[in-house]
Amino acid sequence: MIKLVHIVCLSLMLVTTNQQQRTLGKFQEIFAWKQLTYYINGIQLLQDRFSEDIVDRSKRQADRLIFSDDLPSENSTWNEEEAGRFFIQYNNLPMGVERVADRLFITVPRRRYGIPSTVNYISLSRDGRSRSPALRPYPDIARARSLASVYRTRADTCGRLWMVDTGLMEIPGNPQQIQPPAIVIYDLSTNTQILRYPFKSTDIPAANTPTGLASITVDITGPCDEAFAYVPDLTTYGLIVYSMLDNNSWRVTHNYFHFNPLAGNFRISGENFQWSDGIFSITLTEPEADGCRTAYFHPMASTQEFSVSTCVLKNSSLSSMSDYYRLYSYVGNRGEGSQSTMHGYHARSSVIFFAEIGRDAISCWNTGTALNPANIAILARDRQRLSYPSDLHVSNDEVWVMSNTLPRFGYSRLDTNEYNFYIYRGIVNDLISGTVCSTLPFYN
């Protein structure tokens, strides 16, 4: 244990020393990329590469689950050369970030061809001296092929890494459902997959593809094998609840899961567009007297926050009650332009942090106060360096943030001569000090 603490402290010292000149408010820039690179099988991918440059072709032919090699259909707009490439650098856009000890997990959903690995990591101690380190496939390039597309990961207190594999190659004009969408769990001590739970047909409407399964929240209040997971479906406005003990899942719906049409207009990264994303993020308080938590949630195309007890979510029979909808609560409104992707709860301060795409900002709210614009504090804001904060994760007393300029990637074109992707880290006590989010300081 002493050795592990020493390694983690050393890694933070290396990162802090390297990045001390690059700050955003009270956040420290940890990494930034103009374009992503990878380190695979002893090769650093710095430019587009074909698969035969990276892996043995005979093995590649035996394993057909190599998503970046699947050729497009005859009506696809992609040519064979593009589809056959193992790595198309421009197409790799990071989405999720999460720190677990010395590793920083970074996800790259397969929204285009040429993405070698959808779940990756950086070693903070080994790679912390570089501003733009290469990503390493997790667990390795061979086993990484079992995952089609992952948006975000979340680790639990039992040493496991959870994620939703959508199973979908989201190629524009040619989406391909490679395998059923599923919850996937890895043991972080052995780096082995210990569970793949395919969702049931009743979990996702048949007429829809699983593009909306973009996040997962893990809930453990007892033994590790009694964990629950909550998976929002932002496109069909539902929530999938998974019980590990029963190895079963069920879908719940509520009007609060829907987007607000008055908050669907966006201007981000210089692009104007309308989105209708529903329930996007769930964050949990500490367990209360009844053993359950308060689950705070919001649609992405909305400025409102809502809540429900996890006792309600864990009981699969409650949704059949005629007044089931009354079990959910309206919490408040964060204010104009405060549309948010992810948010995270910090237990010791009772503060929730928001990744605000509408204001290119990170904000906070102390849950001991009423939720209204006066009780929201903007902690960092930057039109370029915080353009589309795609993920926010609270780990111990740290807040980790990823921003990725997604709208420009989707509607226009990234400038590969400038930095497009950023990862920031902030210390909770420093971030909220002197703001309306802080009532009393907490100490280590």
Side-chain angles (χ1 to χ4, degrees):
M1 178 63 71
I2 294 176
K3 184 177 180 181
L4 177 60
V5 171
H6 175 74
I7 291 174
V8 172
C9 291
L10 177 61
S11 68
L12 287 178
M13 289 175 60
L14 290 172
V15 171
T16 302
T17 300
N18 185 47
Q19 307 293 349
Q20 58 184 329
Q21 300 302 318
R22 292 187 286 271
T23 60
L24 187 61
K26 294 180 180 179
F27 282 91
Q28 195 80 33
E29 178 201 298
I30 303 301
F31 299 116
W33 294 266
K34 296 177 180 178
Q35 294 189 90
L36 294 183
T37 62
Y38 291 80
Y39 188 79
I40 301 174
N41 290 353
I43 300 173
Q44 187 167 1
L45 306 187
L46 299 174
Q47 59 187 2
D48 295 5
R49 300 292 290 268
F50 285 96
S51 296
E52 50 264 33
D53 298 332
I54 311 300
V55 294
D56 179 73
R57 188 173 183 84
S58 61
K59 182 178 181 180
R60 182 164 59 89
Q61 291 298 324
D63 182 0
R64 292 311 305 153
L65 206 62
I66 302 180
F67 310 111
S68 52
D69 280 352
D70 288 340
L71 296 180
S73 64
E74 60 182 12
N75 60 356
S76 172
T77 59
W78 288 74
N79 62 49
E80 182 173 330
E81 182 176 338
E82 287 176 317
R85 285 188 184 274
F86 177 78
F87 177 54
I88 301 175
Q89 188 174 34
Y90 181 86
N91 289 350
N92 285 253
L93 182 130
M95 187 67 66
V97 62
E98 177 178 25
R99 181 192 170 191
V100 184
D102 181 58
R103 287 183 288 194
L104 202 62
F105 288 95
I106 297 175
T107 53
V108 185
R110 285 192 165 98
R111 300 162 66 98
R112 300 291 191 275
Y113 286 115
I115 296 170
S117 174
T118 186
V119 178
N120 311 276
Y121 72 96
I122 291 170
S123 168
L124 292 173
S125 59
R126 179 174 53 196
D127 305 319
R129 293 186 179 275
S130 170
R131 187 183 187 188
S132 307
L135 307 187
R136 301 171 188 267
Y138 181 82
D140 51 53
I141 189 59
R143 289 181 288 173
R145 295 175 190 167
S146 67
L147 298 171
S149 187
V150 174
Y151 275 79
R152 296 167 180 87
T153 62
R154 287 298 179 259
D156 64 18
T157 55
C158 300
R160 302 173 301 201
L161 189 69
W162 296 61
M163 64 198 73
V164 174
D165 181 2
T166 69
L168 181 68
M169 285 275 288
E170 296 180 53
I171 310 303
N174 186 33
Q176 303 170 39
Q177 192 69 50
I178 302 296
Q179 56 194 20
I183 291 176
V184 179
I185 306 176
Y186 281 84
D187 183 328
L188 287 168
S189 63
T190 62
N191 299 317
T192 55
Q193 182 178 302
I194 56 176
L195 181 139
R196 173 177 280 269
Y197 175 83
F199 290 112
K200 300 186 299 188
S201 59
T202 51
D203 293 333
I204 305 172
N208 288 274
T209 57
T211 56
L213 308 180
S215 68
I216 187 169
T217 300
V218 184
D219 182 9
I220 302 176
T221 56
C224 292
D225 61 357
E226 295 182 7
F228 284 81
Y230 311 120
V231 179
D233 187 346
L234 64 93
T235 58
T236 63
Y237 315 120
L239 175 66
I240 304 170
V241 181
Y242 169 72
S243 166
M244 175 175 272
L245 184 63
D246 299 327
N247 197 35
N248 189 28
S249 58
W250 54 92
R251 177 183 175 90
V252 296
T253 59
H254 196 281
N255 281 352
Y256 292 167
F257 296 167
H258 288 247
F259 76 103
N260 182 344
L262 299 179
N265 298 332
F266 294 86
R267 179 173 174 79
I268 306 173
S269 304
E271 304 296 327
N272 294 293
F273 52 91
Q274 279 193 332
W275 279 353
S276 58
D277 291 9
I279 180 171
F280 200 95
S281 175
I282 296 175
T283 191
L284 306 175
T285 66
E286 290 295 283
E288 299 163 9
D290 58 4
C292 293
R293 308 174 189 264
T294 296
Y296 287 99
F297 65 90
H298 58 253
M300 197 251 275
S302 172
T303 60
Q304 287 81 31
E305 193 74 21
F306 306 92
S307 69
V308 65
S309 169
T310 56
C311 286
V312 174
L313 299 179
K314 292 177 181 180
N315 189 331
S316 60
S317 63
L318 283 181
S319 60
S320 62
M321 295 171 45
S322 60
D323 60 348
Y324 170 75
Y325 66 95
R326 297 183 183 275
L327 300 177
Y328 291 71
S329 299
Y330 169 67
V331 178
N333 193 318
R334 298 185 300 273
E336 185 178 357
S338 64
Q339 296 96 326
S340 169
T341 52
M342 303 301 293
H343 62 344
Y345 178 81
H346 179 255
R348 295 208 288 165
S349 65
S350 301
V351 169
I352 291 179
F353 296 87
F354 297 90
E356 293 194 13
I357 60 171
R359 295 191 285 205
D360 305 308
I362 305 301
S363 64
C364 64
W365 165 59
N366 191 310
T367 58
T369 65
L371 178 55
N372 57 48
N375 288 327
I376 293 287
I378 300 294
L379 304 175
R381 188 174 187 178
D382 191 281
R383 184 172 296 179
Q384 193 268 327
R385 298 174 63 198
L386 263 180
S387 177
Y388 199 87
S390 60
D391 200 6
L392 181 151
H393 179 244
V394 178
S395 175
N396 298 321
D397 295 329
E398 299 175 338
V399 180
W400 288 83
V401 176
M402 163 83 74
S403 66
N404 66 4
T405 327
L406 173 65
R408 184 176 298 166
F409 176 82
Y411 295 114
S412 180
R413 187 163 182 84
L414 299 177
D415 183 348
T416 57
N417 294 312
E418 65 180 24
Y419 286 91
N420 294 293
F421 318 131
Y422 296 87
I423 291 178
Y424 302 99
R425 175 175 64 95
I427 307 302
V428 170
N429 212 7
D430 295 339
L431 294 173
I432 66 176
S433 178
T435 74
V436 294
C437 298
S438 177
T439 51
L440 291 173
F442 67 92
Y443 300 95
N444 295 327

